[in-house]
Amino acid sequence: MTITIDTATFIAAAPASLRSECIGLTPAEFHDRYCAPTGPVKLSDWTPVGHRAGTATLEIADHLRTVVATGSPVAALTSALYDEGYPVEILAFHQRRTADGMATFIQCEFNGRRGWGAALADDPAESTIRAMIAGINRLGSHF
């Protein structure tokens, strides 16, 4: 997979605790560990609705779930996952505008395990949803 973003800039936008955790990773390793979208939760579609809002269609456990994210994409997705039997807690949220788009870094916890997810998108809400899904999927084998 070819990474087309300036990964050094993306990593530099991350919170200090994540930067220290990923020291020594190549850009491809960083992407595979923190941004890869594989796991039990998949984003099938994202439709932005204004600034910081939109509709996400998720595939969770082989069925589709529509989540309307207005105001707080974190609250909307956390609530939807809880309803689906995935009680995920968000421990840290960090978002910063970069030259390539909105970089979002989210630390999730499930069943005592913690993991970071990261994403980059033009739309802040989409970046948030994608980062949450990446973080959740890092913990996914334990759902």
Side-chain angles (χ1 to χ4, degrees):
M1 170 181 242
T2 302
I3 299 173
T4 57
I5 63 169
D6 180 351
T7 307
T9 301
F10 183 60
I11 293 170
S17 59
L18 177 56
R19 284 194 315 270
S20 66
E21 183 179 309
C22 69
I23 289 174
L25 295 181
T26 67
E29 290 169 334
F30 179 88
H31 182 271
D32 289 347
R33 183 176 296 176
Y34 299 106
C35 306
T38 59
V41 180
K42 295 171 183 62
L43 181 62
S44 296
D45 186 48
W46 171 258
T47 305
V49 180
H51 185 67
R52 301 193 70 75
T55 302
T57 302
L58 305 174
E59 184 179 335
I60 304 171
D62 299 326
H63 71 278
L64 295 179
R65 168 85 187 242
T66 299
V67 178
V68 178
T70 58
S72 172
V74 172
L77 187 55
T78 302
S79 179
L81 289 168
Y82 182 82
D83 291 347
E84 294 288 336
Y86 301 100
V88 176
E89 184 177 350
I90 303 305
L91 302 175
F93 177 90
H94 184 83
Q95 194 169 59
R96 181 173 291 165
R97 173 72 55 199
T98 70
D100 296 314
M102 186 61 74
T104 304
F105 307 90
I106 296 178
Q107 186 181 42
C108 303
E109 181 174 338
F110 175 76
N111 235 9
R113 292 191 67 234
R114 294 178 178 191
W116 283 97
L120 184 72
D122 289 332
D123 178 70
E126 179 182 1
S127 181
T128 299
I129 295 290
R130 289 186 181 280
M132 283 185 69
I133 290 171
I136 290 161
N137 284 337
R138 285 198 66 214
L139 306 174
S141 63
H142 299 277
F143 283 122

